[in-house]
Amino acid sequence: MSGKKYGVRFYSGNFEKDQQTVSQILQKIANHIKEQKVSPQIQESGITYEIRDFQELNDGNVYQGIFATLRDDAPNIREANGAERSIDLRDNEHLIEKNHFLFFKKNELLVWQVNGRGSHVRRFEIYLSRYSNSTITLNDIINVDALDRINKGTVRNLKIRIARPRNAQLIAANDWSDAAFSMMSDLEGGTMSIEISTRRKGIGLSQ
């Protein structure tokens, strides 16, 4: 019996100093669902998002769920003869597009299903931030194989996003990052993005 195969990516949950962790926010969502029997919904750019089929596994150390995008712009159905007909949705009905996820509390680790017809992890980031009234970031974890492919290929664009560390002792005083983190702290920012690119044809960034 063959099962479904999913492409996934890995993210680490980060948060601003003295604010809630992702696992704490998910615990509050789990409590909300238990008490209200319905997931909290967040609207962004006219689209509604919610968490569905939410479960706590391994004695509450792992969360499993679906990040659902609720749409009312139903696509058309293609009939066998090639003709099209619309899908008629009733009032307050929506189509559901899904991204499955797992979250491991111990490492604040998100395993996210990549689904081009669903949503993006940044929408999940917004959902958690809006629900908790805080700033949550989910940063890519690059595995060794992916890093090796980058090193062997031609890189024309490099984007880096960093979050302010919760332990100031981790910042070396003689490192460029000290000034960068100081600026971020002065501006009361939680994250910083850096982009480096080249327009040279056939030539990437220097390695």
Side-chain angles (χ1 to χ4, degrees):
M1 182 177 178
S2 61
K4 291 184 177 180
K5 293 183 178 180
Y6 296 106
V8 299
R9 296 187 70 165
F10 299 89
Y11 298 88
S12 62
N14 289 281
F15 50 95
E16 290 189 347
K17 184 180 180 181
D18 299 327
Q19 292 196 354
Q20 303 169 81
T21 64
V22 175
S23 56
Q24 289 172 334
I25 296 169
L26 290 176
Q27 183 61 61
K28 288 187 176 182
I29 292 173
N31 294 339
H32 179 105
I33 294 173
K34 288 177 183 177
E35 295 171 3
Q36 305 294 329
K37 308 302 181 185
V38 65
S39 169
Q41 294 184 338
I42 299 295
Q43 284 200 334
E44 175 68 20
S45 302
I47 299 175
T48 302
Y49 301 91
E50 66 180 13
I51 292 178
R52 303 176 64 85
D53 299 342
F54 198 46
Q55 302 179 59
E56 296 179 66
L57 307 176
N58 295 354
D59 297 322
N61 292 309
V62 180
Y63 295 108
Q64 174 182 291
I66 293 170
F67 185 61
T69 303
L70 309 184
R71 298 187 179 278
D72 55 14
D73 52 341
N76 288 349
I77 295 175
R78 182 190 185 280
E79 298 177 348
N81 62 4
E84 293 185 26
R85 72 174 189 273
S86 61
I87 299 175
D88 295 322
L89 297 175
R90 298 173 185 172
D91 291 343
N92 298 321
E93 286 188 335
H94 297 83
L95 296 177
I96 300 176
E97 296 174 345
K98 301 179 179 181
N99 293 86
H100 295 260
F101 70 88
L102 292 169
F103 192 87
F104 296 84
K105 291 175 63 174
K106 181 178 180 180
N107 304 108
E108 293 289 319
L109 172 66
L110 174 68
V111 183
W112 177 263
Q113 178 205 2
V114 179
N115 180 8
R117 288 175 291 184
S119 190
H120 192 275
V121 72
R122 297 298 163 231
R123 295 295 180 187
F124 190 49
E125 197 177 67
I126 292 171
Y127 178 92
L128 296 174
S129 297
R130 293 269 296 276
Y131 177 78
S132 62
N133 194 30
S134 57
T135 301
I136 297 298
T137 59
L138 298 166
N139 297 330
D140 271 289
I141 298 175
I142 301 177
N143 61 37
V144 175
D145 290 340
L147 184 60
D148 187 55
R149 288 196 299 271
I150 291 173
N151 289 335
K152 291 180 179 179
T154 300
V155 180
R156 297 178 57 83
N157 184 278
L158 178 64
K159 293 182 180 180
I160 304 170
R161 188 172 67 158
I162 53 178
R164 188 170 60 191
R166 299 186 289 277
N167 186 354
Q169 295 180 350
L170 296 177
I171 306 174
N174 59 346
D175 196 329
W176 71 271
S177 60
D178 180 41
F181 284 125
S182 294
M183 180 178 67
M184 191 169 13
S185 179
D186 291 341
L187 295 173
E188 297 185 356
T191 62
M192 175 183 294
S193 297
I194 301 171
E195 181 174 355
I196 305 171
S197 62
T198 179
R199 295 183 179 180
R200 296 180 297 175
K201 292 183 178 180
I203 303 175
L205 297 172
S206 174
Q207 298 184 32

